Amino acid sequence: MADTQQAETPADAAAGTQADKRTGKHAARLAKQIRAFAASHGGSAEGQLAHIGRGRTRIALVGANGEWGNLVADSFDAAKDAATLAGLTLQDDFDGDLAARVRTGPYEWSRMAGLQLGGPANG
């Protein structure tokens, strides 16, 4: 059996370059949002990346003051690039120390119970 490889055509190379440019722009926008989140929540933040389906990746953020938020990236590569550009410290899991720093307020507690305990209605 011969080992064959298909040569990349100029069209393939151009498509790859365009995708890389889109990923780079998306990562730069996300990095700007991550830096803004960190600046407004104690000056720093940590995060965790999680695949959420259809190629998308969630960037969970926890600020130094315990406030938290989420961003969604179009790909894992864009999420990782954004975290690197923003200087975000990434954790492997959203548990332990990272989860312990999350501060929740009355809104989150009422939403956790949902409608069963008189929490705000969905939409």
Side-chain angles (χ1 to χ4, degrees):
M1 259 179 124
D3 207 16
T4 60
Q5 291 183 350
Q6 186 174 354
E8 185 176 62
T9 66
D12 293 337
T17 302
Q18 289 174 342
D20 291 343
K21 285 181 183 176
R22 278 193 304 274
T23 298
K25 287 181 180 181
H26 184 56
R29 282 192 303 273
L30 289 168
K32 184 177 179 180
Q33 292 175 304
I34 292 168
R35 285 190 297 271
F37 176 87
S40 65
H41 295 290
S44 66
E46 291 187 50
Q48 189 263 339
L49 305 181
H51 175 72
I52 57 173
R54 295 193 178 200
R56 302 207 187 262
T57 298
R58 175 187 69 143
I59 306 170
L61 301 168
V62 179
N65 66 356
E67 294 290 324
W68 59 278
N70 290 298
L71 294 171
V72 176
D74 291 341
S75 67
F76 183 82
D77 289 340
K80 191 161 186 168
D81 291 348
T84 300
L85 287 169
L88 183 68
T89 301
L90 290 175
Q91 302 297 327
D92 291 332
D93 296 306
F94 196 90
D95 61 4
D97 291 337
L98 185 61
R101 284 195 295 270
V102 172
R103 186 179 59 167
T104 57
Y107 173 78
E108 287 85 7
W109 282 102
S110 68
R111 294 296 294 169
M112 286 180 209
L115 297 173
Q116 297 87 340
L117 296 178
N122 287 331

